[in-house]
Amino acid sequence: ALIAKGGHNGESHNHNDIGSFMLYDDGQPVIIDIGVERYTKKTFSPQRYEIWTMRSGYHNVPQIGGAEQLPGEEYGAQQVDYRVEQGVSSLTMELRDTYGAEAGIHSWNRSLCLDRGAACVQICDRYELVREQEIAFHFMTLQKPEIRGAEVKIGTSTLRIGGAQAAVSAEKIDVTDNHLQKSWGDTLYRVTVITKGQKGEVCFEIKR
């Protein structure tokens, strides 16, 4: 099951997560959305987006030249297209306007595709920036990832990186909030794939 999000970052109870996705295989989480910690005064204050669970850096979207997505209705997906054809579902969207001007984006097109017959998901990002920048792709997981070169083993699934020379790392995140602990336990992980570029395409394939 593949779940992906368009919309804009001015929604009620918003997280900065346009273009993010979740993936489950046989009922088990592969790529996850963290959710929200227990509500506090800060949750609904001007400091809301200092909370890590609200930031795009902890959702499954790219970070461009260090820039994350910004909050507000004006920061949203454009040219959204959803299709279902012979067991293949796909969603594409332009993410340029979900980031501020400092990200320096001419175009950032994200395509997410689920091929049910092949039990395979493809995430492809085609981009053009105003200058060469470091690009970090984040993937949140519950299961501890095993990095094997250009592949990452997550439970019974494997994430493969294509289209770019990249450095892959995994960060352990201690979960201290008791509301999140009820969903995920004490530990989550963030896989980060770092590359550099001004124009190109990076694709990720996830399959059993």
Side-chain angles (χ1 to χ4, degrees), residues 87-131:
V88 177
S89 298
S90 66
L91 179 69
T92 62
M93 65 189 80
E94 172 60 53
L95 296 180
R96 178 192 60 243
D97 293 343
T98 63
Y99 297 82
E102 69 275 13
I105 305 171
H106 282 314
S107 176
W108 195 289
N109 183 271
R110 168 158 281 198
S111 173
L112 307 102
C113 179
L114 169 63
D115 186 329
R116 292 178 176 82
C120 175
V121 166
Q122 284 191 331
I123 314 295
C124 286
D125 285 356
R126 299 172 183 86
Y127 65 90
E128 182 177 355
L129 308 177
V130 299
R131 59 191 175 276

Side-chain angles (χ1 to χ4, degrees), residues 137-150:
F137 299 90
H138 298 305
F139 301 92
M140 304 302 300
T141 74
L142 172 61
Q143 301 180 73
K144 184 177 181 179
E146 300 176 24
I147 299 171
R148 304 172 181 177

Side-chain angles (χ1 to χ4, degrees), residues 48-63:
R48 176 181 179 86
Y49 295 99
E50 295 175 5
I51 301 172
W52 69 286
T53 58
M54 307 294 181
R55 294 170 45 195
S56 68
Y58 291 89
H59 287 83
N60 308 306
V61 295
Q63 190 169 337

Side-chain angles (χ1 to χ4, degrees), residues 46 80 82 88 143 206-207:
V80 179
Y82 172 65
V88 177
Q143 301 180 73
I206 309 171
K207 65 187 307 183

Side-chain angles (χ1 to χ4, degrees), residues 26-193:
D26 196 25
Q28 298 302 309
V30 181
I31 306 296
I32 66 168
D33 182 283
I34 306 164
V36 64
E37 295 177 317
R38 186 172 298 279
Y39 289 153
T40 66
K41 183 178 179 180
K42 188 175 182 179
T43 309
F44 300 101
S45 77
Q47 289 76 46
R48 176 181 179 86
Y49 295 99
E50 295 175 5
I51 301 172
W52 69 286
T53 58
M54 307 294 181
R55 294 170 45 195
S56 68
Y58 291 89
H59 287 83
N60 308 306
V61 295
Q63 190 169 337
I64 304 158
E68 298 185 23
Q69 293 184 10
L70 297 178
E73 189 170 346
E74 67 270 33
Y75 299 104
Q78 305 296 325
Q79 303 169 33
V80 179
D81 183 54
Y82 172 65
R83 300 187 182 190
V84 180
E85 299 173 348
Q86 298 181 343
V88 177
S89 298
S90 66
L91 179 69
T92 62
M93 65 189 80
E94 172 60 53
L95 296 180
R96 178 192 60 243
D97 293 343
T98 63
Y99 297 82
E102 69 275 13
I105 305 171
H106 282 314
S107 176
W108 195 289
N109 183 271
R110 168 158 281 198
S111 173
L112 307 102
C113 179
L114 169 63
D115 186 329
R116 292 178 176 82
C120 175
V121 166
Q122 284 191 331
I123 314 295
C124 286
D125 285 356
R126 299 172 183 86
Y127 65 90
E128 182 177 355
L129 308 177
V130 299
R131 59 191 175 276
E132 183 179 74
Q133 298 197 73
E134 181 178 278
I135 303 165
F137 299 90
H138 298 305
F139 301 92
M140 304 302 300
T141 74
L142 172 61
Q143 301 180 73
K144 184 177 181 179
E146 300 176 24
I147 299 171
R148 304 172 181 177
E151 295 185 352
V152 182
K153 188 75 173 176
I154 305 169
T156 58
S157 298
T158 300
L159 183 151
R160 296 181 175 87
I161 305 158
Q165 294 292 321
V168 188
S169 62
E171 169 191 3
K172 179 184 176 184
I173 299 172
D174 294 325
V175 178
T176 58
D177 177 79
N178 59 8
H179 184 72
L180 286 183
Q181 286 174 338
K182 291 177 182 178
S183 297
W184 307 120
D186 297 330
T187 306
L188 294 172
Y189 298 90
R190 181 172 71 160
V191 175
T192 299
V193 178

